[in-house]
């Protein structure tokens, strides 16, 4: 069956290439949009996913980790006294405006944390240049490599700039520690208060590490029932809530979904019409097969076999181009990877498109009479 299907494909190379190109275009567009979407959703919840904490304790009205309210530092003691809590420490997250050496300006997100807990917020593997201890120097903050354009183009260690009119300088460079809509700049919690004009009693969140064997949901319930005005979230749930909040209030999901749908429709009609045109050119060949005893079921399997071969060839070619795109944009910081589940889903989707497109040809060929070969 596959050998015969391959012969039919090779017989009309022009139309076969057309079908493969249609599948290639669908594969590339679907993969491109999925990759960008995955990258953006990753940035949305980056603060909660990058930080090593079992539980976030934040303002009771907040559902987005990028829009944290204010908490009183006294809540820290209350959280530390909850049974099952091994460790709890504060973090201050605040927006700030900057003026850089080239007279450009921009916005950053200051993340202040006690130096003894820095590794919980900024993993050492994400430090590209400098040492974490350099943040102890007066005015020291971090700079993100992929946010260079948003940080005045010069993020070399020692570069001076202003945060809310106060002197600061880049002490370390990070790579892969980014936020959604603004650059993450890590510093000490005292310095973050200084730059953002926050009270010494003000914090944004309390990060909690649990004792071994404790369940986050159970400890969250204890915190929520014991402390007024706060809400405890398992880190994964806060990340999911943040993603849901941003997607529901923006057009990212709609625009991405629309482009994917159009890619599916375009692929369907390119494949369908090309295979239909090819079938019209070879009606006598299919009629000959029927004349020598092939039934409609055999013809159906033959057409679907061609569609699957087209799907595999088009998908592999599309994935090759997609990998080139992925590697190319990664250099500018747009980083994403496809899991085996996503790749399998793409293969199933492309196969269904190819099979559905083949239905155009099937409808025409099934009506062919064996006598047509003698006309």
């Amino acid at each position: 069956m596959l050998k015969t299907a391959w012969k039919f494909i090779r017989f009309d190379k022009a139309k076969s290439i057309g079908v493969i190109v249609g599948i290639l275009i669908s594969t590339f567009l679907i993969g491109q949009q999925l990759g960008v979407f995955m990258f953006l959703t990753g940035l949305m919840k980056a603060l909660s996913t990058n930080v090593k904490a079992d539980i976030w304790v934040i303002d009771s009205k907040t559902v987005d980790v990028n829009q944290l309210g204010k908490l009183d530092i006294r809540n820290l003691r209350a959280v530390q006294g909850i049974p099952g809590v091994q460790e709890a420490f504060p973090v201050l997250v605040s927006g700030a405006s900057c003026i850089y050496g080239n007279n450009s300006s921009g916005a950053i997100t200051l993340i202040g944390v006690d130096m003894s807990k820095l590794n919980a917020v900024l993993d050492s593997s994400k430090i590209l240049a400098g040492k974490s201890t350099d943040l102890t120097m007066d005015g020291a903050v971090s700079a993100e490599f992929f946010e260079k354009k948003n940080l005045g183009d010069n993020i070399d260690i020692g570069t001076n700039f202003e945060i809310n009119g106060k002197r600061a300088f880049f002490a370390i460079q990070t790579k892969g520690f980014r936020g959604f809509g603004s650059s993450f700049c890590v510093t000490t919690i005292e310095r973050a208060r200084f730059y953002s004009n926050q009270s010494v009693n003000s914090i944004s969140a309390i990060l909690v590490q649990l004792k071994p064997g404790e369940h986050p949901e159970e400890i969250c319930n204890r915190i929520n029932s014991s402390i007024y005005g706060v809400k405890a979230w398992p880190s994964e749930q806060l990340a999911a809530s943040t993603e849901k909040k941003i997607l529901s209030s923006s057009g990212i999901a709609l625009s991405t979904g629309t482009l994917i749908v159009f890619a599916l429709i375009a692929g369907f009609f390119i494949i369908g019409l090309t295979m239909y045109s090819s079938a019209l050119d070879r009606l006598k060949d299919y009629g000959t097969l029927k004349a020598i005893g092939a039934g409609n079921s055999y013809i159906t399997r033959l057409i679907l076999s061609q569609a699957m071969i087209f799907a595999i060839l088009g998908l592999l070619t599309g994935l090759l181009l997609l990998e080139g795109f992925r590697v190319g944009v990664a250099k500018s910081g747009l980083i994403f990877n496809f899991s085996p589940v996503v790749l399998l889903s793409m293969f199933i989707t492309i196969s269904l498109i190819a099979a559905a497109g083949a239905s155009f040809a099937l409808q025409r060929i099934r009506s062919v009479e064996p006598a047509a070969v003698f006309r």
Side-chain angles (χ1 to χ4, degrees), residues 49 78-79 116 118 124-125 166 189 211 238 275 287 290 309 325 336 359 365-366:
T49 54
V79 172
S116 63
L118 180 63
S124 58
S125 65
K166 301 169 184 177
I189 192 167
K211 293 180 179 179
L238 181 58
M275 290 192 73
K290 286 190 173 185
I309 293 174
F325 168 79
F336 60 88
S359 64
I365 293 171
R366 282 175 177 172

Side-chain angles (χ1 to χ4, degrees), residues 95-100 105-108 110 161-166 195:
S97 59
C98 301
I99 298 178
Y100 306 105
S105 60
I108 63 170
L110 275 173
F161 67 107
E162 292 184 0
I163 301 178
N164 290 338
K166 301 169 184 177
Y195 285 134

Side-chain angles (χ1 to χ4, degrees), residues 21 29 84 102 153 156-157 177 182 188 194 199 227 246 334 357:
V21 168
L29 291 178
N102 59 0
D153 286 323
D156 293 338
I157 292 176
F177 188 66
S182 66
T188 64
F194 170 71
S199 164
I227 306 174
I246 296 177
L334 202 163

Side-chain angles (χ1 to χ4, degrees), residues 125-269:
S125 65
K126 293 185 182 293
I127 297 178
L128 180 65
K131 299 177 294 183
S132 59
T133 53
D134 294 339
L135 290 178
T136 59
M137 293 185 287
D138 185 35
V141 299
S142 69
E144 166 59 31
F145 176 81
F146 288 125
E147 295 287 347
K148 184 176 181 179
K149 290 185 178 179
N150 297 327
L151 296 172
D153 286 323
N154 185 4
I155 59 170
D156 293 338
I157 292 176
T159 300
N160 293 303
F161 67 107
E162 292 184 0
I163 301 178
N164 290 338
K166 301 169 184 177
R167 176 189 169 278
F169 74 95
F170 295 127
I172 64 173
Q173 288 181 13
T174 63
K175 191 172 185 179
F177 188 66
R178 309 173 68 184
F180 184 71
S182 66
S183 306
F184 284 165
C185 291
V186 182
T187 188
T188 64
I189 192 167
E190 296 82 9
R191 196 171 299 122
R193 289 195 181 104
F194 170 71
Y195 285 134
S196 57
N197 300 314
Q198 299 279 349
S199 164
V200 294
N201 296 318
S202 180
I203 57 176
S204 300
I206 300 168
L207 305 183
V208 178
Q209 301 289 350
L210 302 181
K211 293 180 179 179
E214 297 289 348
H215 297 286
E217 292 80 5
E218 183 178 343
I219 304 303
C220 285
N221 291 333
R222 291 179 190 173
I223 295 173
N224 293 333
S225 61
S226 303
I227 306 174
Y228 175 76
V230 305
K231 184 173 182 180
W233 294 77
S235 294
E236 297 81 3
Q237 290 186 17
L238 181 58
S241 174
T242 298
E243 182 179 341
K244 180 180 178 181
K245 174 68 166 55
I246 296 177
L247 289 179
S248 64
S249 60
S250 67
I252 295 175
L254 179 61
S255 61
T256 302
T258 301
L259 288 172
I260 290 176
V261 169
F262 275 109
L264 293 173
I265 293 174
F268 171 73
F269 280 103

